[in-house]
Amino acid sequence: MVLQTGLAHEQDAVHPIIEDEEGIQPGFAEEDDGVLRDTDDYEQRLKAEEVARFVENLGPVEHEERLSLLKASFGIPSEPLHHDFDYLPECTRDQRHVGDRVWHQYYHMSSLLETDLPAMRYTQCNDPSVGQQCFHEPTPILQIFNVKLQTYLANVADPVEVYGIVAVRDDEDYCRNYLFNRSRGNPLDISLTGGYLCLLSPRRGMSMRFNCLIEVDIRVKALGDDDTEDKTLADGCMELIEDRIYFEKLTTCTMSGPYGSLAFDYDIFRYGFEATIELDFLEVPEGGFGMQMWRFPQYFVAAVQMDDYFLVDFAEGKSPLIFKPTIHGSEEKEYSFHNGALASVKVSWSTIFFC
């Protein structure tokens, strides 16, 4: 399955999620700025609706062909922006959890706990019809689409098995929100995935209201019963800083290590919502039907920009399901697979911060 926003922005989400599969907060504007902002929002909504109509009229077509047609029709650049991040000081696995630098304290690096904040925290809200006021609003949110590895090892033999972690720490609780987490006993053979990590769904949306941290420790598993001969592809931490980021621009950043590198494709939506996708199979063909939902049983989490559209594509060459984000609530649609399976696809919307 592939998820993407409606490509209403210049470079929104042109890469699919791989399955096995001046301050971040909006500032106060002058009156003239408000007029311009309203005009930009109106034009943005028109473009999002135009893209949604284009996808509907296009009908069944392979996912990659649909992306190519969207790019050509709406002038979406084929290549993302490129940005290299510098490692933070004392950020290797042997240093980052015991150091006393300011950033160690800020991101609670001594804690190895996984975030326990769930998705859909604010899907249900107060009812304004009975006089209850809603204080929620969209906030900046991070989406990492994929992570690709490259090894510099000259004599590494197939298969290339990797293990370790990729996690994000944000201002919600500074705990690890895992995107990849495999032990040495359960490595991933990247020779079978084209070099891509099979990413987990984050437990919840990843906030970019303030700075956030990407923590990486990826190693190649060598032969033998211990890790003494394992090689490090990338080990360190990099920071997304609130006044040095691009909004609504698909960006690639690279983290290099002694024996390889990782390339992240990501986007940051200025006025973003959390989208939680749940599948419920209503009909299953005789003989069964297998589908892997990584990390959690039958749901995963993504990010989407306000006034955009959210597409769920099962990569069967059929038309994707199109959802329109809202600040609260959920929507369900049915999808029929080629093999006869029928699934209910539910998308629930939530902010990731209670204002």
Side-chain angles (χ1 to χ4, degrees), residues 3-9 12-13 269 303-305 308-311:
L3 310 177
Q4 64 185 74
T5 60
L7 301 182
H9 306 289
D12 272 356
F269 302 117
V304 64
Q305 170 79 353
D308 207 338
Y309 285 83
F310 189 70
L311 279 60

Side-chain angles (χ1 to χ4, degrees), residues 111-328:
S111 172
L112 304 183
L113 295 176
E114 181 180 7
T115 180
D116 60 1
L117 294 177
M120 301 181 286
R121 281 177 290 162
Y122 307 116
T123 294
Q124 304 298 325
C125 187
N126 296 331
D127 185 357
S129 65
V130 295
Q132 296 176 324
Q133 186 174 1
C134 174
F135 294 96
H136 297 101
E137 61 183 36
T139 55
I141 186 170
L142 170 67
Q143 175 68 58
I144 295 179
F145 295 102
N146 54 51
V147 179
K148 188 171 185 179
L149 302 179
Q150 181 179 0
T151 177
Y152 304 152
L153 296 172
N155 298 318
V156 67
D158 290 334
V160 181
E161 295 184 328
V162 301
Y163 67 98
I165 68 158
V166 176
V168 172
R169 295 177 185 255
D170 62 19
D171 61 286
E172 292 297 291
D173 60 6
Y174 298 107
C175 294
R176 284 175 168 175
N177 197 354
Y178 286 108
L179 298 176
F180 184 79
N181 185 17
R182 290 204 179 211
S183 66
R184 192 176 189 276
N186 181 35
L188 170 70
D189 182 358
I190 60 171
S191 62
L192 302 177
T193 64
Y196 287 96
L197 293 182
C198 294
L199 298 183
L200 304 167
S201 165
R203 180 175 288 274
R204 55 170 174 78
M206 297 175 286
S207 173
M208 269 301 305
R209 289 173 55 250
F210 304 107
N211 301 354
C212 82
L213 182 98
I214 301 177
E215 182 180 357
V216 173
D217 180 8
I218 299 294
R219 307 177 224 182
V220 174
K221 180 181 178 180
L223 297 176
D225 296 331
D226 56 47
D227 61 2
T228 55
E229 299 298 322
D230 295 351
K231 303 297 185 184
T232 298
L233 289 185
D235 174 27
C237 299
M238 58 187 184
E239 191 174 27
L240 293 173
I241 301 175
E242 55 185 332
D243 60 352
R244 301 181 190 176
I245 60 174
Y246 301 100
F247 288 112
E248 289 82 56
K249 300 287 187 182
L250 182 70
T251 303
T252 295
C253 69
T254 301
M255 175 183 283
S256 297
Y259 296 101
S261 63
L262 278 74
F264 294 83
D265 285 342
Y266 72 93
D267 205 337
I268 300 171
F269 302 117
R270 186 191 298 269
Y271 304 110
F273 296 127
E274 173 195 87
T276 301
I277 304 91
E278 299 173 90
L279 298 186
D280 182 15
F281 283 93
L282 307 177
E283 297 179 12
V284 178
E286 186 176 353
F289 176 51
M291 184 172 181
Q292 180 67 57
M293 300 289 292
W294 284 94
R295 187 179 177 84
F296 300 114
Q298 296 187 304
Y299 86 88
F300 48 93
V301 176
V304 64
Q305 170 79 353
M306 181 178 66
D307 294 328
D308 207 338
Y309 285 83
F310 189 70
L311 279 60
V312 178
D313 189 344
F314 288 90
E316 289 192 311
K318 301 179 68 173
S319 297
L321 301 179
I322 302 176
F323 295 86
K324 185 70 176 79
T326 59
I327 196 165
H328 299 298

Side-chain angles (χ1 to χ4, degrees), residues 90-105:
E90 298 183 20
C91 68
T92 64
R93 57 178 171 266
D94 298 326
Q95 297 175 305
R96 58 178 174 254
H97 304 303
V98 296
D100 58 0
R101 288 183 174 269
V102 171
W103 76 267
H104 292 143
Q105 307 302 318

